[in-house]
Amino acid sequence: MDHSGYVVTLDNAILVFDYYRDPAHALHHAIRQNPDMPVIFFVTHHRSEHFDKSIFELAQNHKRVYVLSNDVYQQDVPSDLAVAGMSKGDIIEDLPAGIKVHALPATDSGVSFLVTTATGETIFFAGGINDPHKPVTDHRKAADEYNKTLNRIASEMPQADIAFLSVNYLMESYYPPEVRKFLDMVKVRDFFPMELGGNFHDSEEMQSQMPSGTKVHCLHTPGQSVSL
């Protein structure tokens, strides 16, 4: 969609991660093309570039479930919808379409999500991990926090079929050490760098730096998609 918001359309469900804005109407198209699919909304944390209250008005003709980090303010959540709050370590196994989700830690507020489909495919959505919008005053402390978080994630998730992780476009390198370390510790088949900030990085050059077995997908513009 835009920023760190993504729509993942499975064979039997639509997953929506960190909806913030959708200028290309990607979610609307996915919903219209799959009228019978349940829609599961995931929110990793409460910050405005990762969460918008309009999600509670979307997909009203579909079965909807909301999986929210427990740091989302209660007053922002309607009481008449199916909403599950999660803190790191929590597991939900009874989502529509056989979806299971495990809340893992994040370096920002909130959580990251490890989603497992009914067929066993795994999707990791990092949320605020390595978020370029998070202010950093103590870089040593931030590095220690990142390493601690990454070690915990890698112990719970040594591999993932698909992974979404922010790339700090505010730095000169579009493949910073934090991302490199993540991909060295967690074996990923398909990697989607998030929050590219409109920078049109050379996908072939970035691919050349990927670990063996990892394919990178740079989606530069809202609404751009790829089939796996």
Side-chain angles (χ1 to χ4, degrees), residues 6 21 61 77 106 117 163 173 178 193 224:
Y6 282 79
R21 59 191 177 199
N61 293 325
V77 181
T117 71
S173 171
E178 295 87 354
Q224 188 177 355

Side-chain angles (χ1 to χ4, degrees), residues 172-207:
E172 291 183 2
S173 171
Y174 56 77
Y175 188 38
E178 295 87 354
V179 176
R180 190 188 306 271
K181 181 175 289 188
F182 176 88
L183 293 174
D184 284 341
M185 294 184 67
V186 178
K187 185 177 180 180
V188 173
R189 185 191 70 202
D190 290 284
F191 171 56
F192 289 82
M194 301 192 297
E195 300 188 54
L196 293 173
N199 293 337
F200 284 74
H201 300 313
D202 188 325
S203 297
E204 291 186 6
E205 184 177 348
M206 198 172 186
Q207 180 64 58

